[in-house]
Amino acid sequence: MTDRRRINGPSGGTSAPIFSKYLAKTPNELLERPTRSRPNNALRKMFLKTGVTPSASGSAYLELEASKNPKSTAPGLSSPSTSGLKLTCTVHGPRPLPKSAPFSPHIILTTHVKYAPFATRKRRGYLRDSSERDLGVHLETALRGVIIGDRWPKSGVEIIITILEGEEDQWWGDGIGHGNTAAAEWGMMSVLSGCITVASAAIADAGIDCVDVVAGGVAAVVKGSAKGPSPNLVLDPVPSEHKEIIAACIVGYLPSRDEITDLWVKGDIGHGNQNEDTAQSASYEELADSAVQAALGSHRVLIAALKETADVKIGRS
């Protein structure tokens, strides 16, 4: 007997309808890579709001401005070349551990990072893969040194982040024979930076004591920009805007204590012949310092969002 109440989805992949008035008139306009219109030391616009999930102890939502082709004039619908970031975070706890759990003098931190199935151009599965587990490990490392865990013995807190829209690892046109097809997972760096920032806001919204408010920042050494073929050091990179990314660095930074809780460098930097065009002119220290500057920019938005939340709570009381 068939279940008439259930509507099964299609067995294969489908494409959303695109209206003809939003299509480019020539193929060259459709396959044009978006360019970075911001200065190298400028960050994308960030929207951060706390208290979006009333059932959780603390929650936050973060959204970064999507990149856009400056020559695109199509209103309304997003272009296939756009790449943005949308994250939501919920904090559950602190709450007592089960009686069967061994005694712990400090709080037990658990992080869970998961892409939504529709978050990227390539559909994600329902079970966490290795990249999502890596994001969870780095997030736990960045937050473990921030929370004052001695105040909650034999307690646990769960931090769950859902990636509603993730950064693309490369421009979508590179997959059909344009540009470099050997793309690494560069989008994970920006995603991890956003995860650290939104988790910090959710922890503060939950009222968990911390030594400082941690913020995430990312910087990269890119090649093939519009200003010249030489490598450039940029803050808050968007992989779809650059033909090739040589190296990237993401940090979790505590501004008031001037400490780094997490550092992840990926790529080739500081090696090779400096006379070659593909060589890197920046060092590890310069790349890390640039990531710290990006974290300071995110920290300003984070503090402003927390002050707004505090004013709302004080006004209600």
Side-chain angles (χ1 to χ4, degrees):
M1 183 176 180
T2 60
D3 188 359
R4 298 182 179 180
R5 297 181 180 179
R6 180 174 301 174
I7 301 176
N8 296 323
S11 58
T14 59
S15 299
I18 300 178
F19 296 95
S20 59
K21 64 179 180 179
Y22 295 112
L23 294 177
K25 296 181 180 180
T26 61
N28 294 331
E29 296 179 359
L30 184 61
L31 299 177
E32 186 175 2
R33 180 191 300 272
T35 57
R36 182 184 177 102
S37 58
R38 301 174 282 127
N40 292 340
N41 59 350
L43 306 179
R44 284 176 289 178
K45 295 181 181 179
M46 179 186 300
F47 173 79
L48 181 62
K49 183 177 179 59
T50 59
V52 295
T53 307
S55 60
S57 302
S59 59
Y61 171 79
L62 182 142
E63 181 176 348
L64 292 181
E65 181 185 18
S67 60
K68 187 176 181 180
N69 192 337
K71 296 183 180 180
S72 177
T73 59
L77 296 179
S78 299
S79 169
S81 300
T82 58
S83 178
L85 183 63
K86 297 178 182 179
L87 306 173
T88 178
C89 177
T90 56
V91 176
H92 302 276
R95 51 192 177 188
L97 294 176
K99 295 182 179 180
S100 59
F103 176 78
S104 176
H106 52 78
I107 195 171
I108 302 299
L109 177 64
T110 304
T111 58
H112 184 93
V113 180
K114 182 70 181 72
Y115 280 89
F118 51 84
T120 56
R121 189 173 299 276
K122 183 179 179 181
R123 189 172 180 85
R124 293 275 181 164
Y126 293 97
L127 299 178
R128 289 202 304 168
D129 55 11
S130 59
S131 62
E132 293 167 337
R133 288 191 291 268
D134 290 342
L135 290 175
V137 171
H138 281 283
L139 179 62
E140 181 179 355
T141 303
L143 300 178
R144 186 174 297 277
V146 178
I147 299 176
I148 305 177
D150 298 339
R151 298 186 179 180
W152 291 278
K154 201 177 180 182
S155 300
V157 60
E158 297 179 0
I159 300 176
I160 302 174
I161 293 181
T162 303
I163 304 171
L164 302 178
E165 182 177 346
E167 292 277 14
E168 298 292 341
D169 296 329
Q170 61 177 349
W171 180 51
W172 69 281
D174 292 343
I176 55 177
H178 296 271
N180 184 18
T181 57
E185 295 180 347
W186 299 113
M188 289 179 56
M189 311 297 282
S190 298
V191 170
L192 179 58
S193 174
C195 288
I196 294 175
T197 304
V198 72
S200 179
I203 290 174
D205 184 56
I208 300 176
D209 296 337
C210 301
V211 296
D212 194 6
V213 180
V214 62
V218 60
V221 178
V222 300
K223 185 177 66 173
S225 62
K227 297 182 180 180
S230 60
N232 295 322
L233 189 61
V234 298
L235 305 184
D236 191 15
V238 179
S240 60
E241 294 179 348
H242 306 286
K243 186 176 181 180
E244 183 179 355
I245 297 180
I246 301 175
C249 175
I250 182 266
V251 297
Y253 184 65
L254 301 175
S256 63
R257 300 171 65 94
D258 194 19
E259 295 180 0
I260 293 178
T261 59
D262 186 35
L263 174 65
W264 184 17
V265 180
K266 187 176 182 179
D268 298 329
I269 185 170
H271 303 285
N273 186 6
Q274 296 294 332
N275 295 326
E276 297 179 0
D277 294 338
T278 58
Q280 297 83 350
S281 59
S283 61
Y284 280 107
E285 291 78 8
E286 294 174 347
L287 186 59
D289 291 341
S290 299
V292 169
Q293 295 299 322
L296 289 175
S298 301
H299 181 263
R300 298 186 187 97
V301 179
L302 178 59
I303 292 299
L306 295 179
K307 286 183 178 179
E308 182 180 356
T309 303
D311 294 339
V312 172
K313 291 183 178 180
I314 293 175
R316 290 179 180 177
S317 61

